[in-house]
Amino acid sequence: MPKLVDHEERRAHIIDALLRAAANTGLHSVTMRSVAVEAGISVRLVQYYFDTKEQLLLAAMTRLTTRMGERIQHRLRGTGATPDPRAVIEAVLLEAVPTDEESRVFHLVHTEYAVLSVTDPALGGRPFLAAPDAMEAFLVTHLTAARDAGTADPDLDPRHEAVVLLAASAGLGLSVLLGQRTPEDATAVLRYHLGRVLPTRPATTQDGPPA
Amino acid sequence: MPKLVDHEERRAHIIDALLRAAANTGLHSVTMRSVAVEAGISVRLVQYYFDTKEQLLLAAMTRLTTRMGERIQHRLRGTGATPDPRAVIEAVLLEAVPTDEESRVFHLVHTEYAVLSVTDPALGGRPFLAAPDAMEAFLVTHLTAARDAGTADPDLDPRHEAVVLLAASAGLGLSVLLGQRTPEDATAVLRYHLGRVLPTRPATTQDGPPA
DNA sequence: GTTTTTGTGGTACAACCATACCACCAAGCG
DNA sequence: CGCTTGGTGGTATGGTTGTACCACAAAAAC
């Protein structure tokens, strides 16, 4: 039944199968065969849409980073038209904590790729450095703005704080993946820390339940 | 020349070869053959000292966690007889930042194991949760002591701060492994954050260069 | 209506893996 | 001295992997 299929759609379908398989049994265990089974198609078709395994892995990595960027953008839009700095920063950082199943799959496989990229030169670690660098710059900007606006301790160093925030959210996300912490706990810890860096009220006032 | 060899020594030698190989080309790529070559012995011998590959991997993991515990203990002893809380906490956390080659190998392979343990049930993720849990308890104890002694902000929540510290040091260590940050930068950031949680002087005084 | 082109299945193949097996050598022990 | 046992090399084997190859059906192009 060769009825002129949408290539991009088919490729996305196969990549999703790969991500599912990688999240279940590990990236190291994905084979052409296992991806084919997961996608419900024959091995030949996986070969047909991605000539080689390496290209398949590369395409999956690309989709992964793209999709994560989209998720962050989506969260940012969710903060409304005139969000305060803390809401923006919180939105960005909380994306690192896997809550729903999709984000768990994405972060797990993304982490597997990142670790793999350290030893595998063919993967070229650049994609794994570009995104965090952008995030860092983003956080520095907003932290500086908050400090200059007087909603943060004037003594804080925006760059250092940004790096700490990024590292903490990455570490928390990882601990959730490893099953050491619940997503709720990780979220609470992140909010706590953010509350100390960027108090919702000037530091002199006690904050009651903020509704 | 079968001259009654020391088994434990030989096993350690082989495990070290495995760790080196895993750090170079990835844990997924270690084979009986590659370990044998790295150790400079025949495949048969690897089989002889570790019956199966799974046992070899398990033994390597055990050695890894043991060795990391030793390194932390060593750092703690290095803080002297009556260390202040901040020195103790700093010593523990800085161990997560790979500086020398040995610690880089250990942390890289340890991370590979940790990620692998998420999907591979045979590895049993317990070892990767026990150590962080102990570290968390340790930090909570010392942070509480520091707070009660008045050397830390009385408003800080020791448990939350401990988790943040742990997550941040793990995240920083990972970013160093990925080549995003230098060990020096990661160390500086960690020290900065520690300085905000546990100021060396009461918060009212400015601290000059502490020599 | 024929002839490309596109999509698909099945299978073959060379490489590599973990592991089992066989042979042998040298030291310890009686 | 015999001979048992610990240490070693080499090789065979059964299974898995990525990929190349062959055949074929149906839509598109002419």
Side-chain angles (χ1 to χ4, degrees), chain A residues 68 95-98 103-112 177:
Chain A
M68 285 181 63
E95 177 56 30
V97 177
S103 82
R104 186 184 159 79
V105 168
F106 278 4
H107 279 100
L108 179 50
V109 184
H110 185 261
T111 305
E112 290 178 319
L177 285 179

Side-chain angles (χ1 to χ4, degrees), chain B residues 140-204:
Chain B
V140 169
T141 301
H142 284 260
L143 284 172
T144 305
R147 187 192 57 180
D148 295 348
T151 62
D153 183 349
D155 282 344
L156 65 74
D157 178 325
R159 224 250 340 158
H160 282 164
E161 293 292 347
V163 175
V164 169
L165 280 168
L166 226 43
S169 77
L172 284 170
L174 188 59
S175 74
V176 171
L177 286 179
L178 296 180
Q180 190 192 8
R181 246 173 271 289
T182 66
E184 292 74 23
D185 192 18
T187 301
V189 169
L190 206 49
R191 287 218 170 95
Y192 163 86
H193 182 229
L194 217 47
R196 287 190 63 89
V197 175
L198 294 177
T200 31
R201 300 298 173 111
T204 49

Side-chain angles (χ1 to χ4, degrees), chain A residues 155-171:
Chain A
D155 281 344
L156 65 73
D157 178 324
R159 224 248 344 156
H160 282 163
E161 294 290 347
V163 175
V164 169
L165 280 169
L166 227 44
S169 76

Side-chain angles (χ1 to χ4, degrees), chain B residues 43-191:
Chain B
V43 180
R44 182 65 185 82
L45 282 200
V46 182
Q47 263 187 290
Y48 184 73
Y49 290 100
F50 304 88
D51 251 38
T52 157
K53 183 184 183 182
E54 184 175 344
Q55 289 189 0
L56 172 59
L57 287 173
L58 245 46
M61 190 178 79
T62 300
R63 177 165 167 80
L64 213 49
T65 61
T66 302
R67 191 75 189 85
M68 285 180 64
E70 288 173 1
R71 286 180 66 104
I72 290 182
Q73 291 296 330
H74 181 258
R75 281 202 187 236
L76 277 178
R77 278 194 296 274
T79 58
T82 58
D84 68 316
R86 176 167 167 183
V88 171
I89 294 175
E90 183 176 300
V92 169
L93 294 179
L94 280 184
E95 177 57 30
V97 177
T99 49
D100 54 315
E101 186 57 23
E102 191 199 20
S103 82
R104 185 184 160 80
V105 169
F106 279 2
H107 280 101
L108 179 51
V109 184
H110 185 262
T111 306
E112 290 179 319
Y113 266 108
V115 172
L116 189 60
S117 79
V118 176
T119 54
D120 189 338
L123 238 57
R126 285 155 245 85
F128 298 100
L129 308 186
D133 281 352
M135 291 265 293
E136 182 179 320
F138 178 88
L139 289 180
V140 169
T141 301
H142 284 260
L143 284 172
T144 305
R147 187 192 57 180
D148 295 348
T151 62
D153 183 349
D155 282 344
L156 65 74
D157 178 325
R159 224 250 340 158
H160 282 164
E161 293 292 347
V163 175
V164 169
L165 280 168
L166 226 43
S169 77
L172 284 170
L174 188 59
S175 74
V176 171
L177 286 179
L178 296 180
Q180 190 192 8
R181 246 173 271 289
T182 66
E184 292 74 23
D185 192 18
T187 301
V189 169
L190 206 49
R191 287 218 170 95

Side-chain angles (χ1 to χ4, degrees), chain A residues 112-143:
Chain A
E112 290 178 319
Y113 265 107
V115 171
L116 188 60
S117 79
V118 177
T119 54
D120 190 337
L123 238 56
R126 284 155 245 86
F128 298 101
L129 308 186
D133 281 352
M135 292 267 291
E136 183 179 319
F138 178 88
L139 289 179
V140 169
T141 301
H142 285 260
L143 284 172

